[in-house]
Amino acid sequence: MKNNSSKINIIGLSLIVIMIVFILILSIWPIDYGIIIKINWGISLPRSYREESYFVESEPSVLGDGYRYHVFDYKKELNQEDIGKFNSEKNEEIENNIEEILNYLKIDHEKRPNFSEKYYWYTKTDNIDSHDKLYIIYIPKYNKLYVIEEFM
């Protein structure tokens, strides 16, 4: 009986050590937010981005409501294959929706998309919750992709 008890203790202790190591690795390892967007929205961002240069999110809420704002810098201009689903016509409604979110998040003007420049846009509404929206803006002049998520 004593032998089985010590085996269980060793297995339990081993599992605890493995969990601690796993948690430490996850906390140190940088998470690629492009993967999170793929999971949340089923959309793959063009992979050639150099870095996520800016990120802000609203205060956490009990229900997970709020906003997230990301800016990705790209090494080179995206090609048609990368932005094939994007629209190229200016859209004032989307501009206004994005500006409202960025105002709420108190984003400085130099960190916002410059809608006076030529831009491409894409938007998606969540299949499960139609109040959740994703906006993606790409401005070729700056090689920046702006991702705005709205969870309501």
Side-chain angles (χ1 to χ4, degrees):
M1 191 72 158
K2 196 173 189 182
N3 198 7
N4 284 340
S5 176
S6 59
K7 284 182 182 178
I8 291 172
N9 287 340
I10 291 172
I11 291 170
L13 185 60
S14 298
L15 288 174
I16 291 171
V17 169
I18 290 170
M19 287 175 40
I20 290 171
V21 169
F22 183 70
I23 290 169
L24 286 173
I25 289 172
L26 286 179
S27 65
I28 294 171
W29 200 279
I31 295 176
D32 179 355
Y33 201 78
I35 294 169
I36 304 298
I37 290 171
K38 174 73 173 166
I39 292 168
N40 286 346
W41 299 99
I43 294 171
S44 296
L45 295 180
R47 297 292 304 157
S48 64
Y49 62 85
R50 181 177 56 237
E51 65 180 342
E52 179 183 10
S53 61
Y54 190 73
F55 167 71
V56 173
E57 66 182 330
S58 56
E59 292 294 319
S61 75
V62 174
L63 300 175
D65 296 349
Y67 304 110
R68 293 184 192 145
Y69 178 60
H70 305 265
V71 180
F72 295 91
D73 292 334
Y74 280 79
K75 298 173 190 170
K76 59 182 179 164
E77 188 172 332
L78 299 180
N79 59 39
Q80 189 59 40
E81 182 181 312
D82 294 325
I83 58 172
K85 293 181 180 179
F86 285 44
N87 295 291
S88 59
E89 296 86 31
K90 287 197 172 279
N91 185 313
E92 286 188 31
E93 181 181 353
I94 286 177
E95 290 178 22
N96 291 334
N97 291 347
I98 291 172
E99 285 296 330
E100 186 177 312
I101 293 168
L102 299 182
N103 286 339
Y104 179 86
L105 291 172
K106 298 180 173 86
I107 304 297
D108 294 334
H109 286 282
E110 63 271 2
K111 302 281 188 190
R112 297 177 182 217
N114 181 352
F115 290 116
S116 66
E117 299 291 344
K118 178 170 179 50
Y119 67 88
Y120 296 87
W121 61 272
Y122 177 83
T123 186
K124 182 174 183 178
T125 302
D126 186 45
N127 296 333
I128 297 169
D129 187 345
S130 63
H131 295 99
D132 294 351
K133 292 187 175 62
L134 170 73
Y135 301 95
I136 301 177
I137 304 294
Y138 173 64
I139 301 181
K141 180 176 181 177
Y142 306 117
N143 287 335
K144 290 188 183 289
L145 189 83
Y146 302 86
V147 177
I148 302 95
E149 297 174 282
E150 178 178 25
F151 299 101
M152 293 293 145

